[in-house]
Amino acid sequence: MLTSFFSLLFFGCLTGVTTVLFGFGGGFITVPVIYGVLTATARPGADAMHVAVATSAAVMVVNAVVATSAQWRQGRLRSAYLWPLAGFIAIGACAGSFAATLVGGTALRLLFTAYLLVTITDSLLRKGFLSVAHQIPAKSLDRGTTTLGGMGIGLVAAALGVGGSVMTVPLLRRRGLLMAEATAMANPLSVPVAVAGTLVYALAPTAASGAGQFGYVHVPAGAALLVGSLPTIAAMRRVTGRVPDRVHSAAYVVLLLVVLIVMVTMGI
């Protein structure tokens, strides 16, 4: 158990780094990590994948709120891109979280992996992510993107426990925003996903619930991750904006590739 705690603590620190630099509230790091730890330590019959997704959502609530507060004080958030997109993301997130409780763990793992693969391919092959011709001012979001796009982001993100940053960052990037701006706004846009997901998963009836769990949310694992992530977010907040834009966008894709390789290697 002590080894598991220190593993979660270490990856919590890594989650703090990715929250600040890439707008990941934790999902792409915490889902594979929690799944691996629970698979190794949980009792037979425990639904490790659903618990991993649910716990990831709970961790994201805290990480995203803390990062959003810091970025707001630093003037990196642009309200025109946050509302009403956040409201439609919340609507989709409620539906996505509920749908995920009805899907088997194997199907959820395959969907998570497929989501990663599609995102990486899109970022590499379609123009506008690795480098952009910045608009002055940047292009605004149209009504269809805000409504249907927002609900789609919430639906997929909440179902997979990933916060939506891997859809909102490319979306804002292709509107001409700098990488530092796009990743900063991914955090407040992840809050409605994380809140909706946490509530649905925590209240969902499950036979897999054990000691230290609220529904699917594994409180000890989430707490260990937060012990590592929160101090790291505080330490890293001054780094955002200093990384060259092209390096920042390339590092974003590299991180997704690493997570995909880890997931395939672990068979999750």
Side-chain angles (χ1 to χ4, degrees):
M1 292 298 292
L2 187 61
T3 301
S4 298
F5 172 79
F6 282 113
S7 296
L8 291 168
L9 185 65
F10 169 78
F11 283 103
C13 293
L14 183 57
T15 296
V17 174
T18 61
T19 297
V20 175
L21 290 183
F22 304 113
F24 296 162
F28 282 109
I29 304 296
T30 57
V31 170
V33 169
I34 296 171
Y35 178 86
V37 168
L38 293 180
T39 300
T41 62
R43 72 187 191 284
D47 192 342
M49 189 61 188
H50 281 95
V51 172
V53 171
T55 307
S56 170
V59 170
M60 276 191 289
V61 173
V62 181
N63 282 347
V65 167
V66 171
T68 296
S69 176
Q71 288 155 347
W72 178 265
R73 290 195 299 271
Q74 293 172 326
R76 292 200 174 99
L77 302 182
R78 300 173 64 170
S79 58
Y81 292 92
L82 297 179
W83 187 261
L85 182 60
F88 287 102
I89 288 176
I91 294 171
C94 292
S97 300
F98 178 73
T101 64
L102 306 177
V103 177
T106 299
L108 200 58
R109 293 194 299 272
L110 292 174
L111 287 170
F112 192 97
T113 304
Y115 176 68
L116 265 176
L117 186 59
V118 169
T119 301
I120 292 167
T121 303
D122 178 72
S123 298
L124 291 174
L125 299 183
R126 193 153 67 101
K127 292 181 179 180
F129 183 81
L130 290 177
S131 61
V132 296
H134 300 298
Q135 308 293 322
I136 304 178
K139 294 186 292 184
S140 60
L141 300 175
D142 57 67
R143 186 183 297 271
T145 300
T146 300
T147 55
L148 297 178
M151 286 189 286
I153 289 170
L155 180 71
V156 174
L160 302 181
V162 293
S165 60
V166 181
M167 286 177 283
T168 57
V169 170
L171 172 65
L172 297 174
R173 181 81 166 147
R174 291 191 172 97
R175 289 302 187 275
L177 274 66
L178 291 169
M179 193 69 181
E181 294 175 317
T183 54
M185 283 185 285
N187 281 305
L189 291 174
S190 292
V191 172
V193 174
V195 171
T198 300
L199 290 175
V200 171
Y201 288 123
L203 298 175
T206 169
S209 184
Q213 284 186 220
F214 285 106
Y216 284 108
V217 178
H218 196 288
V219 177
L225 287 164
L226 288 172
V227 168
S229 67
L230 294 180
T232 308
I233 290 173
M236 288 291 298
R237 63 187 179 186
R238 294 180 178 84
V239 175
T240 306
R242 299 183 181 181
V243 181
D245 190 72
R246 184 61 183 261
V247 173
H248 201 167
S249 60
Y252 186 94
V253 177
V254 169
L255 177 62
L256 295 184
L257 282 167
V258 170
V259 175
L260 178 62
I261 291 169
V262 169
M263 290 182 67
V264 172
T265 302
M266 292 175 63
I268 69 173

